[in-house]
Amino acid sequence: MRYEDLAKEKFEKLRTKKDVLILSVESSCDETSIALVENGRKVLSNVISSQIEIHKLYGGVVPEIASRNHIKNITGVLDEALANSGKSLRDVDAVAVTFGAGLIGALLVGVNFAKTLAYALKVPLIAVSHVHGHIGANYISHPQLTPPFLCLMVSGGHTAIVEVEDYCKIKLLGWTVDDSVGECFDKVARVLGLSYPGGPNIEKLAKEGKEEIKFNYRLPLKDSYNFSFSGLKTAVVNYVHNKEQKNEEFSKADVAKSFQNIAVEELVTKTMHACRNTAAKKLVVAGGVGANMELRRQLEVQCKKNQIELFAPDLKYCTDNAAMIGSIAYYYIKVGKGLADLTLTAVPTVPI
Ligand code: KG4
Ligand code: ZN
């Protein structure tokens, strides 16, 4: 039987199979990760090989270096993920992989690796959107969480408010018209001389901030769910450059604190506005910036006030990992979505 026919037949069977074990692969940026996930919720293993120390030297991710390191590391990551899971390749029901959004060269490594595995094991190959994976991280951390809910998606590549009507039925309410909030954290960190990735370092430095700085900036797009962060980014960069050019003293901690406050306020205000207008009962945070404690704290306060239940992933599932891909892939299978053939390739962007 041809691989494609066999995969299709097995995929149909998995839709009603009681226990489904997925081996998932994530390589969209600078983390090489492979996980084994049972029934979308139980993580048997989740190995992440991070390249942060390498890309730190360049102040950000260098795409070609990321691809080369994925190729170097991915087989070792598979061996470790299998060993930690107590399962063997023979137990795997499907192979899932992030096919976008992300860096093309980096994604292609994972896609080709996953294809080869699926073909050799004669199991279905599931093509997963990275953004959906970030939402899936919450299903791992909160076994009781089910749709519908509203989701604030905040990562290096995305900033959006989406309505998750069902596991695989996602409606876009608002989006960033320019930079993502993660990009903005990273850029501000860079101008302050903090190392990559900027977000966690801004958060750390902000704790030492005392005075609130008034940047030359007003919150744009007041009456919309859409975000804009490039104005804030430029205002902070201009403030720092101005001080440096004039040789004036300034507190980097105050800059970090003030920037973080404005960014968080923009996210929280728009999200709560969307929650009220859609009468949401549950709010879910997804993506790397979701690791930010000030964001979590302010959302918690607002959710309490508005009687909304707040969910955020465990910190280890906030940033890129394969477990979240294995989680959402399970729900793709259950609704008959995502079955890919061996012509699957990577794409830089995927519509929500
Ligand atoms: O979700 P993610 O790991 O990758 C993408 O899909 O983009 O998000 C990475 C982004 C980076 O911009 C990083 O600086 C930011 O998440 N980030 C944070 C924090 N931890 C990671 N931003 C603010 N505060 C944090 N604690
Ligand atoms: Zn991500």
Side-chain angles (χ1 to χ4, degrees):
M1 206 178 198
R2 276 174 68 238
Y3 165 78
E4 263 86 4
D5 297 329
L6 197 67
K8 207 165 175 187
E9 200 178 295
K10 285 194 178 173
F11 182 74
E12 285 308 320
K13 283 192 183 140
L14 287 183
R15 292 186 63 181
T16 49
K17 187 171 183 276
K18 188 171 159 278
D19 290 316
V20 178
L21 179 68
I22 296 178
L23 185 151
S24 49
V25 180
E26 157 63 40
S27 70
S28 65
C29 194
D30 58 342
E31 260 96 31
T32 321
S33 181
I34 293 184
L36 281 107
V37 183
E38 213 167 61
N39 299 333
R41 304 269 177 169
K42 191 171 170 201
V43 179
L44 304 188
S45 66
N46 179 42
V47 175
I48 304 171
S49 166
S50 174
Q51 303 175 18
I52 284 182
E53 291 307 317
I54 298 167
H55 297 284
K56 238 181 201 171
L57 304 172
Y58 307 93
V61 178
V62 182
E64 184 175 331
I65 294 177
S67 310
R68 287 172 185 271
N69 281 285
H70 284 312
I71 289 215
K72 217 158 107 183
N73 297 336
I74 199 159
T75 317
V77 171
L78 172 68
D79 285 344
E80 203 180 324
L82 281 170
N84 293 354
S85 72
K87 298 280 182 185
S88 83
L89 283 174
R90 274 192 310 277
D91 302 317
V92 170
D93 291 307
V95 175
V97 63
T98 306
F99 76 105
L103 303 170
I104 284 293
L107 286 162
L108 283 172
V109 176
V111 166
N112 205 41
F113 192 79
K115 254 193 218 185
T116 310
L117 268 182
Y119 183 67
L121 298 174
K122 297 187 171 58
V123 297
L125 174 70
I126 317 294
V128 175
S129 153
H130 184 77
V131 175
H132 294 176
H134 274 301
I135 299 172
N138 282 280
Y139 300 134
I140 299 168
S141 295
H142 307 286
Q144 79 282 19
L145 175 67
T146 53
F149 53 77
L150 206 81
C151 174
L152 172 64
M153 162 65 55
V154 277
S155 69
H158 297 86
T159 306
I161 300 174
V162 297
E163 236 180 326
V164 180
E165 296 172 335
D166 207 339
Y167 288 102
C168 298
K169 207 165 158 214
I170 299 168
K171 197 167 105 191
L172 183 65
L173 294 186
W175 188 250
T176 176
V177 297
D178 41 54
D179 298 340
S180 75
V181 66
E183 258 177 280
C184 204
F185 265 92
D186 292 340
K187 177 71 195 185
V188 170
R190 209 165 162 162
V191 88
L192 291 177
L194 304 175
S195 68
Y196 170 83
N201 290 323
I202 290 273
E203 180 175 4
K204 211 159 126 199
L205 185 61
K207 289 200 183 99
E208 294 164 28
K210 292 184 180 70
E211 303 280 321
E212 198 75 43
I213 299 169
K214 290 262 173 287
F215 299 114
N216 187 10
Y217 166 81
R218 267 185 308 138
L219 278 181
L221 308 171
K222 270 215 150 113
D223 300 316
S224 144
Y225 295 139
N226 285 339
F227 299 100
S228 166
F229 284 102
S230 77
L232 172 61
K233 182 182 79 181
T234 308
V236 179
V237 170
N238 285 348
Y239 175 89
V240 174
H241 284 167
N242 241 312
K243 291 285 180 195
E244 285 172 350
Q245 273 161 10
K246 291 182 189 157
N247 248 334
E248 285 177 11
E249 294 254 320
F250 71 100
S251 156
K252 288 186 178 181
D254 287 350
V255 173
K257 178 188 160 99
S258 309
F259 157 72
Q260 181 175 269
N261 281 349
I262 298 171
V264 165
E265 188 190 331
E266 165 83 338
L267 293 171
V268 173
T269 307
K270 296 242 160 95
T271 305
M272 296 319 294
H273 182 51
C275 279
R276 279 190 291 270
N277 284 355
T278 58
K281 298 266 178 293
K282 297 179 221 172
L283 173 66
V284 165
V285 185
V289 183
N292 187 283
M293 284 303 159
E294 185 55 24
L295 174 63
R296 288 184 180 219
R297 195 185 63 76
Q298 290 206 27
L299 283 173
E300 220 170 275
V301 170
Q302 290 304 321
C303 281
K304 214 172 200 173
K305 240 190 226 166
N306 292 280
Q307 285 154 355
I308 294 166
E309 213 177 339
L310 177 66
F311 299 87
D314 293 332
L315 289 183
K316 65 179 176 204
Y317 295 126
C318 263
T319 44
D320 293 346
N321 65 87
M324 67 186 197
I325 304 300
S327 167
I328 202 69
Y330 172 81
Y331 295 102
Y332 274 31
I333 291 172
K334 292 295 162 186
V335 299
K337 179 185 160 103
L339 177 64
D341 62 30
L342 296 177
T343 63
L344 178 70
T345 187
V347 293
T349 54
V350 182
I352 287 278

